[in-house]
Amino acid sequence: MNLEELNKKIEKEYNEYLSGLGSSKKVNHLKEIQEFDNSMNKFWKEEYPKMGFDEKKKYWLASTHKGMRTQGEVLGDEYSEFSKGWYDFAKEHEPDFDEIFDYVTKNLGFEFDWEEYNKRIEN
């Protein structure tokens, strides 16, 4: 199962889950989702810009390591977290992303496959 198929499956199961909730549980669930989204937006708009360059490098290193590890365990494809949308998001929030990501790849603790990464972020 590729990432697109998995996303469709997850979306279908999530919609089935939502339709099975009572109205008050559904409202509470959607409120929690909105609170999470608000928290993420606050992080990217208020907290992340205040970080120093070294803090940003540590953030991206930890985030990338965790993401690749999780994707590897779940899908057997460590590079499935990378996409054009992911890269565009990163560049939108971090103008020096390419410099930071170079640091990240040198400190992941394993050899990073730049060819595979570039293939993912170009599509």
Side-chain angles (χ1 to χ4, degrees):
M1 180 178 302
N2 66 32
L3 187 57
E4 185 177 330
E5 293 168 336
L6 180 61
N7 283 334
K8 287 179 183 179
K9 181 177 189 263
I10 290 169
E11 183 177 355
K12 179 180 181 242
E13 290 176 2
Y14 179 68
N15 287 330
E16 289 172 359
Y17 167 77
L18 281 180
S19 66
L21 291 177
S23 60
S24 65
K25 286 186 176 183
K26 186 175 183 177
V27 167
N28 286 338
H29 173 75
L30 294 174
K31 182 181 175 187
E32 289 174 357
I33 297 292
Q34 185 62 50
E35 288 171 356
F36 176 78
D37 287 346
N38 290 343
S39 174
M40 291 304 298
N41 287 334
K42 181 180 179 183
F43 171 77
W44 287 109
K45 290 180 180 178
E46 297 176 22
E47 297 173 32
Y48 183 81
K50 293 177 185 174
M51 289 181 177
F53 194 68
D54 286 340
E55 288 177 293
K56 290 178 178 182
K57 290 192 307 188
K58 289 177 186 176
Y59 167 81
W60 284 104
L61 176 59
S63 175
T64 303
H65 185 269
K66 182 178 180 183
M68 290 185 76
R69 182 176 170 194
T70 301
Q71 295 299 87
E73 290 172 0
V74 173
L75 300 174
D77 179 5
E78 297 90 354
Y79 292 84
S80 64
E81 80 165 327
F82 303 117
S83 67
K84 175 80 169 115
W86 174 88
Y87 181 74
D88 291 345
F89 177 89
K91 290 289 286 183
E92 175 186 338
H93 291 89
E94 178 51 63
D96 296 322
F97 177 75
D98 293 324
E99 179 182 351
I100 290 173
F101 202 67
D102 183 58
Y103 164 84
V104 166
T105 61
K106 291 175 180 171
N107 291 279
L108 281 170
F110 55 87
E111 189 172 332
F112 189 79
D113 186 342
W114 280 101
E115 185 176 324
E116 187 64 29
Y117 168 78
N118 287 321
K119 181 173 69 173
R120 304 295 176 101
I121 67 169
E122 290 172 0
N123 296 325

